[in-house]
Amino acid sequence: MLKVVGDRVLIRPKDLEKKSKGGIIIEYGDQEKVYKMATQQGEIVDIGPEAYSEYKEKWVKVGDRVIFAQYAGKFVEDPETEEKYIVINDIDVQLVIV
């Protein structure tokens, strides 16, 4: 289990898996490089205790779908589930998808 600290936000990136019309999964090679170039959307999984502390209120909450800065953050993997996440600074969230 991962727990975010400080002013960071943990995001589950939108899945970039592509399938052909016949249902074959298309691989892109180095997945982390592909995510860095293409992934800008995801779902908020956890928010650090100091995130958005400079503002009157937090404008995101766990479960929100967001768009964030393209090259923001660092990829991390949950050691228990092997699921990949992105940890970004709170300021890198650019908008909430409603």
Side-chain angles (χ1 to χ4, degrees):
M1 182 174 148
L2 302 173
K3 179 69 180 153
V4 181
V5 297
D7 63 349
R8 306 291 193 271
V9 177
L10 186 66
I11 295 178
R12 178 181 297 114
K14 181 179 177 183
D15 188 13
L16 291 179
E17 184 178 274
K18 296 274 186 177
K19 291 186 180 181
S20 69
K21 289 182 181 180
I24 298 171
I25 296 174
I26 300 169
E27 285 289 325
Y28 290 104
D30 183 357
Q31 288 298 313
E32 185 167 336
K33 187 174 182 179
V34 170
Y35 276 131
K36 283 283 187 194
M37 293 188 314
T39 301
Q40 296 177 56
Q41 290 188 44
E43 178 184 344
I44 302 287
V45 175
D46 193 17
I47 301 172
E50 295 173 22
Y52 306 106
S53 61
E54 299 174 7
Y55 305 97
K56 290 183 181 180
E57 61 184 59
K58 295 181 181 186
W59 59 79
V60 297
K61 62 186 179 308
V62 172
D64 282 350
R65 293 180 334 162
V66 296
I67 292 179
F68 51 92
Q70 184 172 13
Y71 293 103
K74 174 170 180 49
F75 278 88
V76 295
E77 185 175 300
D78 186 324
E80 294 174 9
T81 65
E82 297 182 356
E83 188 170 3
K84 292 186 180 184
Y85 298 94
I86 300 173
V87 179
I88 66 171
N89 293 323
D90 58 359
I91 198 71
D92 288 327
V93 174
Q94 295 177 332
L95 61 95
V96 178
I97 301 170
V98 291

